Structure formats: C-alpha cells, structure tokens
Amino acid sequence: AGGGGNQVPGDSPGEFRAVPETDWARGNLGFNACPAKPRALDYMLGLRRQALADFAKDGVSPGYYLHWPFDEGGCECDACRPWGGKGFISLYQKYSRMNKAHSPKAKTVLSTWTYHDDDYDGLWNYLAKPGSQWIDALMIDSHGDFPKYPLAHKLPRDIPVVTFPEISMWGRYPWGGYGAIAMPSRFERLFRQAEGIAGGFQFYSE
C-alpha cells in the first residue's frame, strides 16, 4: 500500500477532507480524508476491505505490507497531528488487523518518509509500548542525508530498519528518463551514515 492510507477518490464526500499538510514535500492533491471523522474512517476502512477482497478473489496473499505516511498523505487537524506519530499509526493499526486477517503470515513495514522530529517523537514513544508489536520493521530515509533523529535517538525496541535509496530521479529530469542511476559515492555516504541501525535497503525507481 502506498501513500498515507488516508487517500480517497476525488468524488468522495467533501466533508471527509483532511486538514492539508503545510510541508510541500509531503504532497497535497486535495484527496486526503481525516480518520478522526467517523464517517470518513468508515469509508476508508471500507476501501481497505474491498482491496483485500479483490486480493482474495485474485488469489493474492502478500508477504508484507509497506505503508507510507506522506507523499501523498497526512492530516493536520488537532486529533491527527503529528500525522506520522499519531494519526497515521492509529489508522494503520486498524488496517493491520484487516491485513493480518487476510494474510496471517504477512509482515508490516512502516516508512518514515519526510518525517519531522515531532513525528519521530510520537513513533518512538509508541514503539516503546507493548501494543506496537504489529509493526515488524521500519523503512527510514529522506531526500538528502540519512535522517538525524534515528541516529541521535536509540530505537525503543529491537526492530529491523531498512533504507530507501532512490535510483531513478536523483539530480535528473525527466525522472526515470535515464534508467537506473549509478551513484556509488552517494550511496556509500548514506550507508555509512545508517550502518549503525540499518540492516539492509530497498532500491526505489520510477
């Protein structure tokens, strides 16, 4: 699953809409819904239920679910913010129960893409709680250097971390127009920054 999990179709009721993010890097096409609104939450859970039913119909049983907070996603209302450390976690805990019912052996990976420090604070506090065990791993990276917060703050529990090096857009336009971009010096620097907590990586291309 991509995005922040609160993306909905453009023709969904306007009353569902989230309070837009103010950080442009997080994306804001105007199609995000606020899970603190009961009717909007029911709508989003229905979309998830339908997606899993389609998986079952096609015989698809994912080995893992990778969930993203932003780009696109998020809500800045009082009940949801900081999205990455509160609203996103609450919504995806609900999604995870549904995912597990469909694919009991599947792992859940949470991305921290474009997190701010308050998002990390909320997530770190949550990971210290027994109820966080549904999160099996974290995917941590950023547009530039490896995020400073995870390097300065010890992980609250023993949880695997992978990075997300991008190989199709960095320093090029049109994105993807040059194929995979070999950047050994950049990746060497990033991997050295993250080697104390990361156990692997997943290349990204588009």
Side-chain angles (χ1 to χ4, degrees):
N6 64 324
Q7 293 169 301
V8 295
D11 61 357
S12 58
E15 65 186 81
F16 292 175
R17 293 295 176 265
V19 176
E21 289 288 333
T22 55
D23 182 347
W24 67 268
R26 294 176 163 186
N28 180 26
L29 296 176
F31 301 144
N32 296 326
C34 172
K37 299 176 180 179
R39 289 189 64 234
L41 175 61
D42 288 344
Y43 182 79
M44 286 186 279
L45 294 178
L47 293 176
R48 166 64 52 171
R49 196 173 295 112
Q50 182 60 55
L52 293 173
D54 290 342
F55 280 172
K57 182 177 65 177
D58 295 336
V60 176
S61 182
Y64 67 93
Y65 293 88
L66 173 56
H67 302 308
W68 295 78
F70 301 108
D71 189 20
E72 168 102 359
C75 178
E76 280 290 291
C77 79
D78 290 341
C80 289
R81 72 168 181 257
W83 177 251
K86 188 179 180 183
F88 173 61
I89 296 172
S90 177
L91 178 61
Y92 265 98
Q93 185 172 26
K94 296 177 178 66
Y95 283 174
S96 180
R97 295 190 191 105
M98 301 169 73
N99 295 343
K100 289 289 188 181
H102 172 74
S103 308
K105 296 182 179 180
K107 302 293 186 181
T108 298
V109 183
L110 249 59
S111 165
T112 66
W113 186 246
T114 71
Y115 263 34
H116 297 161
D117 282 356
D118 57 350
D119 298 296
Y120 277 116
D121 281 338
L123 177 58
W124 256 230
N125 288 334
Y126 183 78
L127 288 174
K129 301 175 182 178
S132 71
Q133 298 301 322
W134 60 274
I135 304 173
D136 297 300
L138 300 176
M139 177 172 281
I140 302 175
D141 219 317
S142 72
H143 287 103
D145 286 339
F146 192 78
K148 295 180 179 179
Y149 189 102
L151 299 178
H153 299 80
K154 181 179 173 59
L155 284 163
R157 64 175 170 87
D158 185 16
I159 184 170
V161 171
V162 293
T163 64
F164 175 64
E166 197 285 314
I167 61 171
S168 68
M169 296 184 287
W170 185 266
R172 296 291 184 272
Y173 185 82
W175 293 344
Y178 295 81
I181 307 168
M183 297 177 284
S185 296
R186 177 172 186 266
F187 290 147
E188 172 76 11
R189 186 182 81 253
L190 288 174
F191 294 154
R192 291 304 178 195
Q193 291 172 351
E195 64 184 353
I197 66 169
F201 61 88
Q202 174 185 305
F203 277 131
Y204 176 75
S205 176
E206 68 176 59

